[in-house]
Amino acid sequence: MATRKQTRPEAGIALEPERQQIKPPPLYKVILLNDDFTPMDFVVVVLEKFFRMNREQATVVMLNVHRKGRGVCGLFPRDLAATKVEQVGAFARRHQHPLACVMEEN
Ligand code: TYC
């Protein structure tokens, strides 16, 4: 029977090398940079608004950036990471804060 042949184990093994060549797309870290001027409350709002953090998570991340100079806000596929960087930059500029956000391949 034709359908039985397709379910033999050898048929699956023959497909294995092709499947192994498909790599998952690389993820990118979106990173917030510290500066001396952007208010802490504004950074917390950014993390809530663009990275879906609650107030507590956003405060932890903001304070980590404030102390260490930079910090990861999330890991995203390339296009989404680029969109987050754009959105944060535009929002900060609109409010006249120098807050900077960059992306890096993970
Ligand atoms: N350092 C800023 C201040 O003291 C707060 C701040 C935190 C700014 C995180 C940017 O990504 C940042 N007001």
Side-chain angles (χ1 to χ4, degrees):
M1 204 205 279
T3 50
R4 274 191 117 194
K5 264 190 189 165
Q6 289 169 353
T7 58
R8 277 173 24 229
E10 310 89 88
I13 289 160
L15 289 174
E16 207 56 39
E18 242 181 86
R19 252 190 287 156
Q20 284 173 352
Q21 285 172 6
I22 300 167
K23 283 193 263 164
L27 293 176
Y28 288 75
K29 290 184 279 205
V30 172
I31 295 166
L32 215 50
L33 306 181
N34 188 36
D35 65 72
D36 292 337
F37 306 102
T38 306
M40 290 183 171
D41 286 355
F42 182 82
V43 180
V44 169
V45 169
V46 164
L47 292 164
E48 290 173 337
K49 185 174 167 69
F50 298 108
F51 299 94
R52 297 166 167 254
M53 293 183 197
N54 62 35
R55 181 61 51 107
E56 209 177 311
Q57 296 168 322
T59 302
V60 169
V61 172
M62 181 279 295
L63 285 174
N64 179 53
V65 175
H66 175 71
R67 289 175 186 142
K68 303 258 173 71
R70 52 191 266 149
V72 177
C73 313
L75 267 182
F76 305 94
R78 189 177 57 194
D79 286 3
L80 187 52
T83 300
K84 300 276 179 200
V85 168
E86 272 305 306
Q87 288 175 328
V88 171
F91 188 65
R93 281 193 299 276
R94 182 155 24 109
H95 292 270
Q96 301 187 307
H97 296 309
L99 181 64
C101 184
V102 296
M103 61 192 269
E104 266 177 20
E105 190 170 347
N106 195 31

